[in-house]
Amino acid sequence: MEGTPRVSLGVPLYNAERYLEECLDALLAQDYPDFEVIVSDNASTDRTWEIAQRYAAADARIRLYRNPRNLGGHANYARVVQLARGELFKWVAYDDVCLPSYVSTCVRALDAAGPRAVLAYPRTVLIDEHGAPLGAYADGLDLRDRRPWRRVAGVADNINLCHAHFGVFRLDALRRTGLIRPYLSSDYTLVAEVARLGEIHEVDPPLFHRRVHPRSTRQAGGSTRAAAVTWFAPDGADRTRWPRQRMLVETVRVLATGEHRLSTRLSSAGAFLVAWWLRRLRVRLGRLRRRLCDRMCGPLTRWLCQQLSRRSVRRLLRWTQTATTKGSS
């Protein structure tokens, strides 16, 4: 491909032989023509490098790089961002599948929105290890409010399985973040950072097939904690302790610092913290309600308890959002 491509697709790899061919076939079948594929192999010990070389020899859009040793998954994700030449950028996980109009749909969404949108991603369908659909997944991260703190609160309130960070970014915005960091759920921190920078747009239709399988590094690094330690820190340093608490502390710290105005930093950090704890409170209240109903209620009373609990939580959320809006205005 002559000239600088508009979109860079970064593919960080480590021992990816099982699904790599399917992944690369899907990328090369994209109907958006102006892209490059950046493959960075993290010193794989299986056939990953051999497969990547074969594909690169057949298609000049693929650029190959190989680290001399395993630097850790987070460092390899940063590596493909560093090597990107396009105006727009997308990370690609080796075990997921992007349907042919994925890139073009996200690019159109960013072009239509203009600079205020910094990330666009499509809806998600979960698939199993053999590619069979498991069902649609609602990400709930369509965040178009003009106020940064409201977008950040939306991340804290809705994020679970994180797919938005596999969408298409404006590369200059992505490079203003800390990217993927060396701890579990650091993608939550990244999406919160991005939401502070600009709008996140979810687009139709569902063009992203996220594979759920035991060896996925996005499921606590696979089936064991040791696998998670290896993905983040192949030197053996365990950075996976207290994952939820560390994510919360790091996210609030990141949002409270940086290049933004002090009011934006403090409101964003506070919004994430309050929304996250309200979400945890809802979960705990729901568990308590279910336990009480299971012990004390019949079917009809259990249904009444559910309705009353939902109404109480909605009233609490409305009151909190009203108080937060008045305090920030």
Side-chain angles (χ1 to χ4, degrees):
M1 180 185 299
E2 297 182 1
T4 302
R6 189 173 185 212
V7 180
S8 295
L9 306 177
V11 189
L13 298 176
Y14 179 70
N15 287 355
E17 64 178 1
R18 181 175 182 184
Y19 299 115
L20 181 55
E21 291 176 322
E22 185 178 1
C23 168
L24 293 177
D25 286 340
L27 295 185
L28 297 178
Q30 292 296 305
D31 60 15
Y32 187 82
D34 192 11
F35 69 88
E36 64 176 350
V37 178
I38 305 162
V39 173
S40 178
D41 178 44
N42 218 359
S44 293
T45 58
D46 64 2
R47 295 176 52 251
T48 295
W49 184 243
E50 174 189 334
I51 295 169
Q53 285 182 306
R54 173 160 49 85
Y55 272 79
D59 197 310
R61 293 174 295 181
I62 300 177
R63 298 164 54 200
L64 287 188
Y65 299 88
R66 194 179 199 196
N67 299 322
R69 58 184 177 83
N70 186 346
L71 304 177
H74 67 286
N76 208 25
Y77 269 65
R79 177 69 168 151
V80 291
V81 174
Q82 176 188 19
L83 294 167
R85 300 180 297 170
E87 169 197 350
L88 305 174
F89 177 85
K90 170 181 163 46
W91 275 307
V92 180
Y94 81 96
D95 48 358
D96 295 329
V97 178
C98 300
L99 298 190
S101 58
Y102 186 119
V103 173
S104 61
T105 300
C106 292
V107 171
R108 279 197 304 271
L110 290 174
D111 288 344
R116 74 175 190 272
V118 294
L119 169 61
Y121 74 96
R123 292 165 55 200
T124 300
V125 172
L126 302 180
I127 60 175
D128 67 14
E129 60 182 317
H130 305 294
L134 299 173
Y137 182 84
D139 290 285
L141 294 175
D142 188 61
L143 305 172
R144 307 192 186 206
D145 198 288
R146 296 302 179 95
R147 292 162 292 185
W149 71 268
R150 290 297 297 268
R151 298 193 299 266
V152 169
V155 174
D157 197 41
N158 293 294
I159 197 166
N160 194 3
L161 292 179
C162 189
H163 304 130
H165 72 297
F166 286 110
V168 177
F169 293 87
R170 296 195 189 278
L171 184 57
D172 58 349
L174 180 61
R175 284 175 171 164
R176 291 167 61 191
T177 73
L179 308 177
I180 299 296
R181 294 170 169 86
Y183 56 87
L184 288 172
S185 298
S186 67
D187 46 1
Y188 287 25
T189 307
L190 170 63
V191 175
E193 276 189 283
V194 171
R196 187 178 64 174
L197 287 171
E199 297 177 15
I200 299 175
H201 288 202
E202 181 182 87
V203 296
D204 284 326
L207 301 171
F208 180 59
H209 287 186
R210 184 260 172 94
R211 196 182 305 272
V212 179
H213 63 100
R215 293 178 58 84
S216 173
T217 55
R218 287 164 290 161
Q219 297 172 50
S223 59
T224 66
R225 180 175 170 178
V229 174
T230 300
W231 193 87
F232 282 104
D235 57 4
D238 188 352
R239 300 187 179 100
T240 65
R241 296 181 184 275
W242 305 99
R244 185 174 296 159
Q245 292 84 348
R246 179 168 186 184
M247 180 281 299
L248 180 60
V249 169
E250 291 289 343
T251 302
V252 172
R253 181 190 64 79
V254 166
L255 293 172
T257 57
E259 62 192 35
H260 294 77
R261 293 182 303 174
L262 180 62
S263 60
T264 300
R265 300 200 307 266
L266 294 181
S267 63
S268 296
F272 189 93
L273 184 62
V274 170
W276 182 263
W277 281 113
L278 283 174
R279 176 180 174 179
R280 300 306 304 165
L281 177 62
R282 291 199 306 271
V283 172
R284 290 172 183 172
L285 287 175
R287 289 173 181 167
L288 178 61
R289 171 182 53 78
R290 286 193 295 272
R291 289 196 194 104
L292 291 175
C293 286
D294 287 342
R295 291 179 182 179
M296 303 171 59
C297 302
L300 177 59
T301 311
R302 186 179 297 116
W303 180 84
L304 290 172
C305 287
Q306 291 173 345
Q307 302 309 308
L308 289 172
S309 177
R310 288 169 184 165
R311 290 175 186 173
S312 299
V313 169
R314 283 197 294 267
R315 288 195 195 101
L316 176 62
L317 288 174
R318 282 198 296 269
W319 177 85
T320 304
Q321 290 170 354
T322 301
T324 306
T325 303
K326 288 180 179 178
S328 63
S329 60

